[in-house]
Amino acid sequence: MSDCLFCKFVSEELETEKVYEDEHVLGFKDIYPQAKEHYLFIAKEHTKNINELVTQNPEDIARVYSAISQFTREKGLDQSGFRVVTNLGKYGGQTIFHTHFHVLGGEQLSSFGS
Ligand code: AMP
Ligand code: ZN
């Protein structure tokens, strides 16, 4: 999409701090980190949220999670642990409408509901 920030990272119209790239997936640093380590992983093909992604490009789910798995193993983040989050819509707190997966780690994260 021409007016999408993350599509501009994919096309390299804008620069970002890439941490992972393959044919279908891009990983880059979040500009406002919410944990010591905070990365965003996206499928290069534009969809607006996870529900559109599973409907339109279900194979991208495996591609993104494989990339996250490879990246976190190479970084050793899997040893200490990490969290993957995707937000959808207003109540989910989504602010960028190109499906993305937050990878958070590098420190103890708060648990849900305890
Ligand atoms: P969400 O609120 O789930 O839509 O997440 C959007 C994320 O994109 C936030 O964590 C932002 O900090 C991040 N973000 C916004 N602008 C940029 C940018 N230029 N480069 C990298 N991350 C960004
Ligand atoms: Zn996009």
Side-chain angles (χ1 to χ4, degrees), residues 9 24 46 72 75 81 89-90:
F9 291 162
H24 298 285
H46 180 93
T72 53
K75 269 229 144 222
K90 182 170 179 286

Side-chain angles (χ1 to χ4, degrees), residues 1 7 10 23-25 42-66 97-101:
M1 258 183 113
C7 281
V10 172
E23 190 185 346
H24 298 285
V25 178
I42 63 171
K44 290 183 174 180
E45 189 79 23
H46 180 93
T47 55
K48 69 178 181 200
N49 61 41
I50 181 65
N51 282 3
E52 190 173 288
L53 180 67
V54 296
T55 310
Q56 292 185 8
N57 303 326
E59 63 286 358
D60 275 341
I61 292 287
R63 289 171 175 150
V64 169
Y65 271 88
S66 296
F97 295 88
H98 181 130
T99 313
H100 53 280
F101 298 79

